[in-house]
Structure formats: C-alpha cells, structure tokens
Amino acid sequence: MNTVGHTDVQGLDLIPFRGVRYDPQRVGSLAAVTSPPYDVVVRPDGLLELESSDPHNIVRLILPQATTQAARDQQAADTLHDWLSEGVLAPDPLPSLYVYEQHDGDILQRGIIGALRLSEPSQGVVLPHEDVMPHVIEDRAALMRATAANLEPLLLTYRGDTAPGGAATAIERAILHKPLLSTTTEDGFSHRLWAVTDPEEVAGIQSDLARHQALIADGHHRWATYLRLRNEHGTPSPWDFGLVLLVDTLRYPLRVRAIHRYLHRLPVADALAALDGSFRVRTLECPLPEALDALAEAVSESNAFLLAGDGSYHLVDRPSPDLIARTVPLGRPEAWRTLDATVLHTTLLDHIWRIPDAPEHIAYIHHTEATVEKAEREGGTAVLMHPVREEVVRDLARQGVTMPRKSTSFGPKPATGVVLRDLAF
C-alpha cells in the first residue's frame, strides 16, 4: 500500500492505490456483481434480489447476513479472503488513480477515485453537512475492522475552475483509451473505469486537488467511520486514508434528491389528528407524480411535507409561526432553522408526534414509491420530502453547521463493486 502523501498541503491529498477489482472471466457479468451503496439497498427485497443475481455480488461483503454482528463481520472477512484466494477479486498490478464515469441519457458524471488523506472537519478540507447516528458508525467500523478494507467509495464534490489542466485534463485524456471495465447496470446507467498510473499525470491531479476543499455528498457515516478507525491505529498507516470518488460539480453537476422517512408505529390517521391547528392539511386525490408537484409548489412558500400510507396523499404545509418559534432551536443560521428536515425533526417528530429517532421507529428510504408502498403495506406513515438545493448544503457546511441526518441524497452514487481498496495491498 502506497501511503506516501503530501502532508504539507492544506487541501485535498489524494494518493494512488492498488485497486481490487472483479475478474470479468470469473463472474457472470460485472453488472450482476455490483450493488448500490449499503444504505440504499432496500431490504429485504432488494438484498435478496442482489444476492440471487450472482453468487459473488458485492452485497455479500457490504451487507453480510448472519444472526449476530460478530458473525456477519467474520462472514464478510472470510468471503473477501476466499474471493481473493480464488481470483474472483484481484489487485491491480500498479497503484493508480481511477477515472470513473456514469452515464444515463442526459446524466453524465465523471470523477477521480483514490485514497484520500483523512482530516477533521475543523481543518476545513472535507466538509460534512449532516449529523450521523452512532449505531451506524459502530456497524460500519466493525465491518471495516474485520475486512481491513474500504469496500465502497464515498462520494465527495468540489468546485473546480475553468482553467485547463489537472484533474479535468486527466479525465479527458483517460476516456480516449479503452476502459478497464464497461458495464450497464439494471437502473440503465453505464459505468466505465480507467486507471491513471503515469507519475506526471498523477502529480497533475494531486496538485490540482490540493487547492480545493470537498463537500461530503454521500457517505457521512463511512467518513466518520474512517476517522474512528484512523484514531484506533498508529500513524502513519493505511488507515490514514479512505476510499473516495471526487467529482467536480462545476463540470458535472450532481442531482440532489430527498431522503424520505417511514414512521413504523404511527398510522396516518393519528399523524394527521395530531396536526390539528398547527399545520394546514389538504388531502390530494391524485397520482403520486401530481402530489409531488404540489409538494414542490408548496415548499416555495413554507415548510411542506407529503404524508402517505392510507391510500391518499396529504399535503402538510404552512406551520404555525408560534409553533416554529417555540420548537426550532435558536443560535443557528436562518437557512438551517427553515430547512424542512429541521422542522420535521424538531417540530413534528420531537414535539408533536414524539417519535424517537431510532431504527425501530423511523426508517430512512431513498426511493419514493418504495416508501409509499411500505407505509400502505405495513400501516405506518410515509413522510415524503422535497430536496434541498446544493448551494444551501454547501453554504451551511462552510459555516460548520450540520443538517439533520439523512437530509439529502446526492447522485448518481458510485456503484459498489467497481473498485475496492484492500489495506493489505
């Protein structure tokens, strides 16, 4: 493992690593062994579908199935060892930075995958924008300890400039060559990967990135896990770095989507009854796309949410100003105090519905239709959210202000299984 970085830089310090990748000769297809990030897989249906798509699907490493945490982590470690021994997974011969492309219709995203030197938020190099849940960090840390590997890259964004050179030029050169892999996943996205090994090109990328800071777009819990594991090991070590995908959003803007909430133990009727007099509530007898359009229009005027689960959609907006003043904490920027996620957690969940932010009470689901279907099937309440603009997220992050957990979903997210980082190489 090459851990020689540029410790004197004040910006992003990205180094090459020997990526571990699937041997296409040993698996059915590259598309069949990849998966979405661990927290996007809709369990159990999505998990079972991925497991059955190929016996070597990466979900067997990122979401191992066993009765205890220790057994799950050991299973993942044993599986990784077996796949490496069998040649299903193999390290590339040279340390590389990787150009990674995702493309679907008018969506084109390209970025650089590498091992990034870890830094604390106070250093202002990598900016988180969401709170994290301790139990998720515990879960991910145990898995990373057992496997001694970064199994999926975080998605980080930075704002490049219009000048030629550096990462942008390296990407343009790389895509002229034959990719290391090319596949199309079930969601319609094509994925291509190239290795950048030339020392001069690597140095150009590093010099460019060293002038920038990055925003964590996806992977707050894995970043917090990286930091925890780094602190558990001596320095210098491979744990000083973590696997990331860096995307220049000046050239490749990301989509920002909402992450919805499913309230397991709160029926829609009870949720609506508790809102009497504190929010305006309108029942919409229309299909989901039209209901989402109504939500988009409502959020331009006030905080707004869409409740579902009883066969209808209920638009909840225009909260009482007195209620907001009493329940939303002071001492934060106005942009934070007026976030839908802030009002949802402080006013609705904490004050009106009195629902603890714990897995047995709240599920966080990226897929809109899946959230509604779950609510209608199980009798709870789906709370559908409208996405936050990226500028708001970045501005709050620069101020050191974190948003409520699971406030945003940036995408497209990198497919898990395209390239892994095993700390032994």
PDB file of all heavy atoms in Angstrom, residues 274-276 278-279 320 322-329 342-357:
ATOM      1  N   ALA A 274     -52.942  14.667  15.073  1.00  0.00           N
ATOM      2  CA  ALA A 274     -52.041  15.409  15.962  1.00  0.00           C
ATOM      3  C   ALA A 274     -51.657  16.772  15.400  1.00  0.00           C
ATOM      4  O   ALA A 274     -51.162  17.632  16.135  1.00  0.00           O
ATOM      5  CB  ALA A 274     -50.783  14.579  16.223  1.00  0.00           C
ATOM      6  N   LEU A 275     -51.886  16.986  14.095  1.00  0.00           N
ATOM      7  CA  LEU A 275     -51.503  18.252  13.463  1.00  0.00           C
ATOM      8  C   LEU A 275     -52.585  19.317  13.551  1.00  0.00           C
ATOM      9  O   LEU A 275     -52.374  20.447  13.101  1.00  0.00           O
ATOM     10  CB  LEU A 275     -51.186  18.019  11.971  1.00  0.00           C
ATOM     11  CG  LEU A 275     -50.035  17.073  11.655  1.00  0.00           C
ATOM     12  CD1 LEU A 275     -49.885  16.927  10.152  1.00  0.00           C
ATOM     13  CD2 LEU A 275     -48.742  17.563  12.277  1.00  0.00           C
ATOM     14  N   ASP A 276     -53.708  18.980  14.117  1.00  0.00           N
ATOM     15  CA  ASP A 276     -54.864  19.880  14.134  1.00  0.00           C
ATOM     16  C   ASP A 276     -54.498  21.268  14.661  1.00  0.00           C
ATOM     17  O   ASP A 276     -54.054  21.414  15.799  1.00  0.00           O
ATOM     18  CB  ASP A 276     -55.968  19.280  15.001  1.00  0.00           C
ATOM     19  CG  ASP A 276     -57.240  20.108  14.947  1.00  0.00           C
ATOM     20  OD1 ASP A 276     -57.561  20.604  13.860  1.00  0.00           O
ATOM     21  OD2 ASP A 276     -57.870  20.279  16.006  1.00  0.00           O
ATOM     22  N   SER A 278     -52.039  23.219  13.901  1.00  0.00           N
ATOM     23  CA  SER A 278     -50.631  23.633  13.878  1.00  0.00           C
ATOM     24  C   SER A 278     -50.057  23.697  12.469  1.00  0.00           C
ATOM     25  O   SER A 278     -49.089  24.414  12.221  1.00  0.00           O
ATOM     26  CB  SER A 278     -49.785  22.692  14.743  1.00  0.00           C
ATOM     27  OG  SER A 278     -49.912  21.362  14.294  1.00  0.00           O
ATOM     28  N   PHE A 279     -50.624  22.958  11.524  1.00  0.00           N
ATOM     29  CA  PHE A 279     -50.242  22.975  10.119  1.00  0.00           C
ATOM     30  C   PHE A 279     -51.522  23.009   9.283  1.00  0.00           C
ATOM     31  O   PHE A 279     -52.586  22.566   9.733  1.00  0.00           O
ATOM     32  CB  PHE A 279     -49.463  21.716   9.718  1.00  0.00           C
ATOM     33  CG  PHE A 279     -48.024  21.692  10.154  1.00  0.00           C
ATOM     34  CD1 PHE A 279     -47.677  21.410  11.473  1.00  0.00           C
ATOM     35  CD2 PHE A 279     -46.999  21.929   9.250  1.00  0.00           C
ATOM     36  CE1 PHE A 279     -46.348  21.364  11.873  1.00  0.00           C
ATOM     37  CE2 PHE A 279     -45.669  21.886   9.634  1.00  0.00           C
ATOM     38  CZ  PHE A 279     -45.340  21.613  10.951  1.00  0.00           C
ATOM     39  N   SER A 320     -47.674  26.823  11.978  1.00  0.00           N
ATOM     40  CA  SER A 320     -47.926  27.991  12.818  1.00  0.00           C
ATOM     41  C   SER A 320     -46.611  28.668  13.171  1.00  0.00           C
ATOM     42  O   SER A 320     -45.703  28.010  13.701  1.00  0.00           O
ATOM     43  CB  SER A 320     -48.645  27.557  14.097  1.00  0.00           C
ATOM     44  OG  SER A 320     -48.477  28.505  15.118  1.00  0.00           O
ATOM     45  N   ASP A 322     -45.920  30.616  15.592  1.00  0.00           N
ATOM     46  CA  ASP A 322     -45.684  30.495  17.041  1.00  0.00           C
ATOM     47  C   ASP A 322     -45.109  29.131  17.382  1.00  0.00           C
ATOM     48  O   ASP A 322     -44.210  29.019  18.225  1.00  0.00           O
ATOM     49  CB  ASP A 322     -46.994  30.711  17.809  1.00  0.00           C
ATOM     50  CG  ASP A 322     -47.474  32.151  17.735  1.00  0.00           C
ATOM     51  OD1 ASP A 322     -46.648  33.028  17.389  1.00  0.00           O
ATOM     52  OD2 ASP A 322     -48.660  32.399  18.011  1.00  0.00           O
ATOM     53  N   LEU A 323     -45.635  28.092  16.728  1.00  0.00           N
ATOM     54  CA  LEU A 323     -45.132  26.732  16.973  1.00  0.00           C
ATOM     55  C   LEU A 323     -43.676  26.613  16.549  1.00  0.00           C
ATOM     56  O   LEU A 323     -42.850  26.045  17.282  1.00  0.00           O
ATOM     57  CB  LEU A 323     -45.992  25.726  16.202  1.00  0.00           C
ATOM     58  CG  LEU A 323     -45.547  24.262  16.273  1.00  0.00           C
ATOM     59  CD1 LEU A 323     -45.676  23.728  17.691  1.00  0.00           C
ATOM     60  CD2 LEU A 323     -46.356  23.412  15.288  1.00  0.00           C
ATOM     61  N   ILE A 324     -43.343  27.145  15.389  1.00  0.00           N
ATOM     62  CA  ILE A 324     -41.957  27.103  14.916  1.00  0.00           C
ATOM     63  C   ILE A 324     -41.042  27.854  15.883  1.00  0.00           C
ATOM     64  O   ILE A 324     -39.951  27.378  16.226  1.00  0.00           O
ATOM     65  CB  ILE A 324     -41.851  27.709  13.490  1.00  0.00           C
ATOM     66  CG1 ILE A 324     -42.655  26.881  12.493  1.00  0.00           C
ATOM     67  CG2 ILE A 324     -40.398  27.836  13.060  1.00  0.00           C
ATOM     68  CD1 ILE A 324     -42.177  25.455  12.321  1.00  0.00           C
ATOM     69  N   ALA A 325     -41.472  29.011  16.346  1.00  0.00           N
ATOM     70  CA  ALA A 325     -40.661  29.808  17.271  1.00  0.00           C
ATOM     71  C   ALA A 325     -40.403  29.049  18.561  1.00  0.00           C
ATOM     72  O   ALA A 325     -39.326  29.174  19.160  1.00  0.00           O
ATOM     73  CB  ALA A 325     -41.358  31.137  17.556  1.00  0.00           C
ATOM     74  N   ARG A 326     -41.378  28.244  19.008  1.00  0.00           N
ATOM     75  CA  ARG A 326     -41.237  27.515  20.272  1.00  0.00           C
ATOM     76  C   ARG A 326     -40.388  26.256  20.136  1.00  0.00           C
ATOM     77  O   ARG A 326     -39.778  25.816  21.104  1.00  0.00           O
ATOM     78  CB  ARG A 326     -42.610  27.091  20.808  1.00  0.00           C
ATOM     79  CG  ARG A 326     -43.485  28.213  21.298  1.00  0.00           C
ATOM     80  CD  ARG A 326     -44.609  27.695  22.211  1.00  0.00           C
ATOM     81  NE  ARG A 326     -45.213  26.457  21.763  1.00  0.00           N
ATOM     82  CZ  ARG A 326     -46.254  26.387  20.930  1.00  0.00           C
ATOM     83  NH1 ARG A 326     -46.770  27.502  20.444  1.00  0.00           N
ATOM     84  NH2 ARG A 326     -46.759  25.213  20.586  1.00  0.00           N
ATOM     85  N   THR A 327     -40.383  25.659  18.945  1.00  0.00           N
ATOM     86  CA  THR A 327     -39.799  24.319  18.823  1.00  0.00           C
ATOM     87  C   THR A 327     -38.469  24.258  18.072  1.00  0.00           C
ATOM     88  O   THR A 327     -37.694  23.321  18.281  1.00  0.00           O
ATOM     89  CB  THR A 327     -40.796  23.376  18.121  1.00  0.00           C
ATOM     90  OG1 THR A 327     -41.162  23.931  16.843  1.00  0.00           O
ATOM     91  CG2 THR A 327     -42.047  23.190  18.974  1.00  0.00           C
ATOM     92  N   VAL A 328     -38.208  25.219  17.186  1.00  0.00           N
ATOM     93  CA  VAL A 328     -36.941  25.187  16.434  1.00  0.00           C
ATOM     94  C   VAL A 328     -35.882  25.960  17.218  1.00  0.00           C
ATOM     95  O   VAL A 328     -36.078  27.133  17.549  1.00  0.00           O
ATOM     96  CB  VAL A 328     -37.118  25.801  15.026  1.00  0.00           C
ATOM     97  CG1 VAL A 328     -35.790  25.834  14.296  1.00  0.00           C
ATOM     98  CG2 VAL A 328     -38.138  24.992  14.224  1.00  0.00           C
ATOM     99  N   PRO A 329     -34.756  25.321  17.542  1.00  0.00           N
ATOM    100  CA  PRO A 329     -33.740  25.980  18.373  1.00  0.00           C
ATOM    101  C   PRO A 329     -33.192  27.249  17.738  1.00  0.00           C
ATOM    102  O   PRO A 329     -33.056  27.351  16.510  1.00  0.00           O
ATOM    103  CB  PRO A 329     -32.637  24.922  18.483  1.00  0.00           C
ATOM    104  CG  PRO A 329     -33.301  23.626  18.158  1.00  0.00           C
ATOM    105  CD  PRO A 329     -34.382  23.938  17.180  1.00  0.00           C
ATOM    106  N   THR A 342     -35.157  20.216   9.353  1.00  0.00           N
ATOM    107  CA  THR A 342     -35.090  20.764  10.707  1.00  0.00           C
ATOM    108  C   THR A 342     -36.477  20.808  11.327  1.00  0.00           C
ATOM    109  O   THR A 342     -36.690  20.372  12.467  1.00  0.00           O
ATOM    110  CB  THR A 342     -34.481  22.177  10.686  1.00  0.00           C
ATOM    111  OG1 THR A 342     -33.147  22.110  10.183  1.00  0.00           O
ATOM    112  CG2 THR A 342     -34.471  22.790  12.080  1.00  0.00           C
ATOM    113  N   VAL A 343     -37.445  21.345  10.586  1.00  0.00           N
ATOM    114  CA  VAL A 343     -38.814  21.446  11.092  1.00  0.00           C
ATOM    115  C   VAL A 343     -39.406  20.052  11.307  1.00  0.00           C
ATOM    116  O   VAL A 343     -40.112  19.807  12.295  1.00  0.00           O
ATOM    117  CB  VAL A 343     -39.673  22.288  10.133  1.00  0.00           C
ATOM    118  CG1 VAL A 343     -41.144  22.239  10.523  1.00  0.00           C
ATOM    119  CG2 VAL A 343     -39.172  23.727  10.120  1.00  0.00           C
ATOM    120  N   LEU A 344     -39.120  19.127  10.404  1.00  0.00           N
ATOM    121  CA  LEU A 344     -39.628  17.769  10.576  1.00  0.00           C
ATOM    122  C   LEU A 344     -39.142  17.168  11.888  1.00  0.00           C
ATOM    123  O   LEU A 344     -39.926  16.618  12.665  1.00  0.00           O
ATOM    124  CB  LEU A 344     -39.202  16.892   9.399  1.00  0.00           C
ATOM    125  CG  LEU A 344     -39.496  15.397   9.547  1.00  0.00           C
ATOM    126  CD1 LEU A 344     -40.994  15.139   9.658  1.00  0.00           C
ATOM    127  CD2 LEU A 344     -38.903  14.604   8.390  1.00  0.00           C
ATOM    128  N   HIS A 345     -37.836  17.284  12.142  1.00  0.00           N
ATOM    129  CA  HIS A 345     -37.277  16.612  13.325  1.00  0.00           C
ATOM    130  C   HIS A 345     -37.587  17.358  14.618  1.00  0.00           C
ATOM    131  O   HIS A 345     -37.943  16.734  15.626  1.00  0.00           O
ATOM    132  CB  HIS A 345     -35.764  16.409  13.140  1.00  0.00           C
ATOM    133  CG  HIS A 345     -35.443  15.258  12.243  1.00  0.00           C
ATOM    134  ND1 HIS A 345     -35.144  14.009  12.714  1.00  0.00           N
ATOM    135  CD2 HIS A 345     -35.411  15.159  10.891  1.00  0.00           C
ATOM    136  CE1 HIS A 345     -34.931  13.190  11.697  1.00  0.00           C
ATOM    137  NE2 HIS A 345     -35.085  13.868  10.576  1.00  0.00           N
ATOM    138  N   THR A 346     -37.446  18.672  14.616  1.00  0.00           N
ATOM    139  CA  THR A 346     -37.628  19.399  15.876  1.00  0.00           C
ATOM    140  C   THR A 346     -39.097  19.659  16.202  1.00  0.00           C
ATOM    141  O   THR A 346     -39.499  19.556  17.369  1.00  0.00           O
ATOM    142  CB  THR A 346     -36.877  20.743  15.854  1.00  0.00           C
ATOM    143  OG1 THR A 346     -37.411  21.568  14.803  1.00  0.00           O
ATOM    144  CG2 THR A 346     -35.382  20.536  15.611  1.00  0.00           C
ATOM    145  N   THR A 347     -39.885  19.972  15.193  1.00  0.00           N
ATOM    146  CA  THR A 347     -41.277  20.342  15.435  1.00  0.00           C
ATOM    147  C   THR A 347     -42.219  19.143  15.375  1.00  0.00           C
ATOM    148  O   THR A 347     -43.004  18.903  16.297  1.00  0.00           O
ATOM    149  CB  THR A 347     -41.727  21.417  14.419  1.00  0.00           C
ATOM    150  OG1 THR A 347     -40.849  22.538  14.501  1.00  0.00           O
ATOM    151  CG2 THR A 347     -43.149  21.869  14.707  1.00  0.00           C
ATOM    152  N   LEU A 348     -42.128  18.377  14.287  1.00  0.00           N
ATOM    153  CA  LEU A 348     -43.056  17.266  14.111  1.00  0.00           C
ATOM    154  C   LEU A 348     -42.661  16.031  14.917  1.00  0.00           C
ATOM    155  O   LEU A 348     -43.427  15.550  15.755  1.00  0.00           O
ATOM    156  CB  LEU A 348     -43.165  16.914  12.624  1.00  0.00           C
ATOM    157  CG  LEU A 348     -43.997  17.889  11.783  1.00  0.00           C
ATOM    158  CD1 LEU A 348     -43.819  17.610  10.298  1.00  0.00           C
ATOM    159  CD2 LEU A 348     -45.465  17.792  12.152  1.00  0.00           C
ATOM    160  N   LEU A 349     -41.458  15.505  14.667  1.00  0.00           N
ATOM    161  CA  LEU A 349     -41.064  14.256  15.330  1.00  0.00           C
ATOM    162  C   LEU A 349     -40.869  14.432  16.831  1.00  0.00           C
ATOM    163  O   LEU A 349     -41.368  13.635  17.631  1.00  0.00           O
ATOM    164  CB  LEU A 349     -39.793  13.701  14.678  1.00  0.00           C
ATOM    165  CG  LEU A 349     -39.935  13.258  13.220  1.00  0.00           C
ATOM    166  CD1 LEU A 349     -38.581  12.869  12.647  1.00  0.00           C
ATOM    167  CD2 LEU A 349     -40.920  12.102  13.101  1.00  0.00           C
ATOM    168  N   ASP A 350     -40.132  15.471  17.226  1.00  0.00           N
ATOM    169  CA  ASP A 350     -39.831  15.648  18.647  1.00  0.00           C
ATOM    170  C   ASP A 350     -41.014  16.200  19.438  1.00  0.00           C
ATOM    171  O   ASP A 350     -41.321  15.714  20.531  1.00  0.00           O
ATOM    172  CB  ASP A 350     -38.631  16.589  18.831  1.00  0.00           C
ATOM    173  CG  ASP A 350     -37.331  15.999  18.316  1.00  0.00           C
ATOM    174  OD1 ASP A 350     -37.325  14.797  18.005  1.00  0.00           O
ATOM    175  OD2 ASP A 350     -36.336  16.738  18.220  1.00  0.00           O
ATOM    176  N   HIS A 351     -41.700  17.212  18.899  1.00  0.00           N
ATOM    177  CA  HIS A 351     -42.692  17.940  19.682  1.00  0.00           C
ATOM    178  C   HIS A 351     -44.119  17.417  19.496  1.00  0.00           C
ATOM    179  O   HIS A 351     -44.830  17.182  20.484  1.00  0.00           O
ATOM    180  CB  HIS A 351     -42.639  19.431  19.319  1.00  0.00           C
ATOM    181  CG  HIS A 351     -43.599  20.273  20.087  1.00  0.00           C
ATOM    182  ND1 HIS A 351     -43.369  20.651  21.399  1.00  0.00           N
ATOM    183  CD2 HIS A 351     -44.804  20.806  19.737  1.00  0.00           C
ATOM    184  CE1 HIS A 351     -44.399  21.380  21.821  1.00  0.00           C
ATOM    185  NE2 HIS A 351     -45.272  21.487  20.839  1.00  0.00           N
ATOM    186  N   ILE A 352     -44.560  17.238  18.249  1.00  0.00           N
ATOM    187  CA  ILE A 352     -45.957  16.872  18.005  1.00  0.00           C
ATOM    188  C   ILE A 352     -46.170  15.357  18.057  1.00  0.00           C
ATOM    189  O   ILE A 352     -47.048  14.856  18.771  1.00  0.00           O
ATOM    190  CB  ILE A 352     -46.425  17.443  16.649  1.00  0.00           C
ATOM    191  CG1 ILE A 352     -46.479  18.984  16.728  1.00  0.00           C
ATOM    192  CG2 ILE A 352     -47.806  16.887  16.283  1.00  0.00           C
ATOM    193  CD1 ILE A 352     -46.918  19.655  15.443  1.00  0.00           C
ATOM    194  N   TRP A 353     -45.385  14.613  17.292  1.00  0.00           N
ATOM    195  CA  TRP A 353     -45.588  13.168  17.247  1.00  0.00           C
ATOM    196  C   TRP A 353     -44.812  12.431  18.333  1.00  0.00           C
ATOM    197  O   TRP A 353     -45.122  11.277  18.626  1.00  0.00           O
ATOM    198  CB  TRP A 353     -45.183  12.637  15.871  1.00  0.00           C
ATOM    199  CG  TRP A 353     -46.083  13.102  14.758  1.00  0.00           C
ATOM    200  CD1 TRP A 353     -47.413  13.416  14.844  1.00  0.00           C
ATOM    201  CD2 TRP A 353     -45.720  13.290  13.383  1.00  0.00           C
ATOM    202  NE1 TRP A 353     -47.894  13.793  13.618  1.00  0.00           N
ATOM    203  CE2 TRP A 353     -46.882  13.729  12.687  1.00  0.00           C
ATOM    204  CE3 TRP A 353     -44.532  13.149  12.662  1.00  0.00           C
ATOM    205  CZ2 TRP A 353     -46.882  14.013  11.327  1.00  0.00           C
ATOM    206  CZ3 TRP A 353     -44.529  13.424  11.307  1.00  0.00           C
ATOM    207  CH2 TRP A 353     -45.703  13.852  10.647  1.00  0.00           C
ATOM    208  N   ARG A 354     -43.805  13.059  18.897  1.00  0.00           N
ATOM    209  CA  ARG A 354     -42.984  12.475  19.980  1.00  0.00           C
ATOM    210  C   ARG A 354     -42.451  11.089  19.595  1.00  0.00           C
ATOM    211  O   ARG A 354     -42.661  10.094  20.268  1.00  0.00           O
ATOM    212  CB  ARG A 354     -43.783  12.409  21.281  1.00  0.00           C
ATOM    213  CG  ARG A 354     -44.245  13.777  21.761  1.00  0.00           C
ATOM    214  CD  ARG A 354     -44.866  13.742  23.140  1.00  0.00           C
ATOM    215  NE  ARG A 354     -45.306  15.072  23.545  1.00  0.00           N
ATOM    216  CZ  ARG A 354     -44.522  16.025  24.059  1.00  0.00           C
ATOM    217  NH1 ARG A 354     -43.231  15.770  24.242  1.00  0.00           N
ATOM    218  NH2 ARG A 354     -45.012  17.204  24.403  1.00  0.00           N
ATOM    219  N   ILE A 355     -41.748  11.078  18.474  1.00  0.00           N
ATOM    220  CA  ILE A 355     -41.176   9.834  17.951  1.00  0.00           C
ATOM    221  C   ILE A 355     -39.654   9.893  18.062  1.00  0.00           C
ATOM    222  O   ILE A 355     -39.021  10.797  17.498  1.00  0.00           O
ATOM    223  CB  ILE A 355     -41.597   9.624  16.482  1.00  0.00           C
ATOM    224  CG1 ILE A 355     -43.115   9.423  16.404  1.00  0.00           C
ATOM    225  CG2 ILE A 355     -40.867   8.430  15.875  1.00  0.00           C
ATOM    226  CD1 ILE A 355     -43.626   9.274  14.995  1.00  0.00           C
ATOM    227  N   PRO A 356     -39.041   8.961  18.779  1.00  0.00           N
ATOM    228  CA  PRO A 356     -37.570   8.954  18.899  1.00  0.00           C
ATOM    229  C   PRO A 356     -36.916   8.654  17.551  1.00  0.00           C
ATOM    230  O   PRO A 356     -37.457   7.899  16.739  1.00  0.00           O
ATOM    231  CB  PRO A 356     -37.297   7.814  19.896  1.00  0.00           C
ATOM    232  CG  PRO A 356     -38.624   7.486  20.503  1.00  0.00           C
ATOM    233  CD  PRO A 356     -39.671   7.865  19.520  1.00  0.00           C
ATOM    234  N   ASP A 357     -35.760   9.241  17.313  1.00  0.00           N
ATOM    235  CA  ASP A 357     -35.016   8.971  16.082  1.00  0.00           C
ATOM    236  C   ASP A 357     -34.195   7.701  16.273  1.00  0.00           C
ATOM    237  O   ASP A 357     -32.989   7.732  16.492  1.00  0.00           O
ATOM    238  CB  ASP A 357     -34.119  10.164  15.733  1.00  0.00           C
ATOM    239  CG  ASP A 357     -33.572  10.057  14.314  1.00  0.00           C
ATOM    240  OD1 ASP A 357     -33.839   9.038  13.655  1.00  0.00           O
ATOM    241  OD2 ASP A 357     -32.885  10.993  13.877  1.00  0.00           O
TER     242      ASP A 357
END
